[in-house]
Amino acid sequence: MTTIKVIGVGMGEPGHLTGEAVAALNGVDVFFVPGHDPVADELSLLRHDLCRRVIAGHSYRVVDLEDPRRDRESPDYARAVSDWTLARATVLGTAIATELHGNEIGGLLAWGDPAFYDSTLRVLAALPGRSEPIDVEVIPGISSIQLLAAAHRISLTRVAEPLQVTTGRQLATKGFPPGCDDVVVMLDGDCSFRHIDPNGVTIYWAAHLGSTHQVLVSGDLADVTEEIVARRVEAKARRGWVMDTYLLRRTR
Ligand SMILES: C[S@@+](CC[C@H](N)C(=O)[O-])C[C@H]1O[C@@H](n2cnc3c(N)ncnc32)[C@H](O)[C@@H]1O
């Protein structure tokens, strides 16, 4: 049976890898690395670099994949994502069929942890027309969510209270989720915190977590909104792209 290891690699730094992830990286024969735009390409270079830095005494190959693009103009987001998943599955399925030989083990490096807004497992589940099943092994990684909490020296949860993880799009369209006062927001290209009532809300914001470009801002949302918007623009200008995550905490 074909084995594929999905390895969470944190923010691509060796120090973010668990011991289990290091062992798994050293057992992979062929890594499949997608890329297609400046962000994906830089993240793909970080993956190449990570392999060079942590794999010792084991020969491996890296197969770069031309990742299909999502239709960003489509009004039907869910449909666009589902079409994109199928297109990526077709590319990955072809690469697995042609590049993995005999008992070779394949590897996919998931940014952060594959459990959070990562398509790797969904793409693997959608691989088309395989005659034999794939054994998928998941090795957890350190997520940007955990790095956010550590960088701000906070716990994301309060005593016996829930935590919600959501996206910038959800926050912008539906507002602060009801029934929950602690919300982690990811995938926000538009500073969606500007669209909620800032009264009684504290924000813990971070960009480029876990890298030398890391930027942190925290405070009452009303007081720091403009600062975060400006710091985000600066962070993006410096690197050409930016990824940010934040916790919104409502005071009762
Ligand atoms: C496609 S999701 C992948 C999340 C990833 N699986 C994780 O566990 O962090 C990308 C989103 O994760 C967050 N993210 C990833 N890397 C980040 C970083 N270095 N600093 C801040 N946020 C980051 C951002 O919200 C970004 O939009």
Side-chain angles (χ1 to χ4, degrees):
M1 187 188 288
T2 302
T3 299
I4 302 284
K5 293 183 191 246
V6 176
I7 306 168
V9 295
M11 304 296 111
E13 277 299 315
H16 291 172
L17 296 174
T18 65
E20 196 186 6
V22 173
L25 285 165
N26 278 280
V28 167
D29 301 296
V30 183
F31 291 96
F32 299 98
V33 176
H36 65 187
D37 61 26
V39 182
D41 287 347
E42 185 164 340
L43 298 187
S44 108
L45 284 180
L46 284 171
R47 288 174 169 100
H48 279 254
D49 191 46
L50 188 67
C51 289
R52 272 193 296 274
R53 290 165 76 185
V54 302
I55 299 174
H58 174 72
S59 67
Y60 63 92
R61 306 191 297 285
V62 178
V63 174
D64 290 302
L65 303 178
E66 180 59 33
D67 209 12
R69 289 165 192 276
R70 172 161 65 81
D71 178 0
R72 291 185 183 271
E73 305 305 316
S74 169
D76 187 344
Y77 179 74
R79 179 65 189 269
V81 171
S82 142
D83 288 350
W84 185 42
T85 302
L86 285 179
R88 300 176 90 190
T90 303
V91 170
L92 179 60
T94 305
I96 290 173
T98 53
E99 299 286 347
L100 269 190
H101 308 297
N103 290 328
E104 284 186 328
I105 293 176
L108 290 160
L109 308 186
W111 193 250
D113 184 274
F116 298 109
Y117 296 122
D118 184 276
S119 55
T120 311
L121 295 173
R122 212 172 40 247
V123 169
L124 278 170
L127 289 186
R130 285 195 56 85
S131 51
E132 57 159 20
I134 285 188
D135 179 30
V136 176
E137 223 179 279
V138 179
I139 293 95
I142 295 182
S143 171
S144 57
I145 299 178
Q146 292 157 283
L147 289 169
L148 172 75
H152 282 289
R153 294 178 256 177
I154 53 168
S155 166
L156 298 175
T157 50
R158 287 183 276 179
V159 179
E161 295 291 341
L163 170 73
Q164 185 162 139
V165 180
T166 190
T167 65
R169 182 184 292 261
Q170 292 282 339
L171 187 72
T173 53
K174 300 187 179 157
F176 206 112
C180 187
D181 291 321
D182 293 285
V183 180
V184 168
V185 182
M186 304 174 83
L187 292 169
D188 186 0
D190 192 35
C191 296
S192 301
F193 47 81
R194 289 175 302 159
H195 307 304
I196 62 164
D197 176 1
N199 249 333
V201 177
T202 304
I203 186 168
Y204 297 89
W205 176 87
H208 293 309
L209 278 158
S211 77
T212 50
H213 302 270
Q214 179 171 292
V215 191
L216 303 178
V217 178
S218 62
D220 288 346
L221 182 56
D223 297 338
V224 295
T225 291
E226 290 315 314
E227 180 185 350
I228 294 174
V229 172
R231 301 287 293 273
R232 191 177 191 281
V233 169
E234 277 167 29
K236 186 169 182 178
R238 265 201 309 277
R239 210 171 177 185
W241 56 275
V242 63
M243 286 203 280
D244 59 334
T245 305
Y246 50 93
L247 172 74
L248 295 173
R249 170 155 287 168
R250 199 156 46 182
T251 321
R252 270 153 259 156

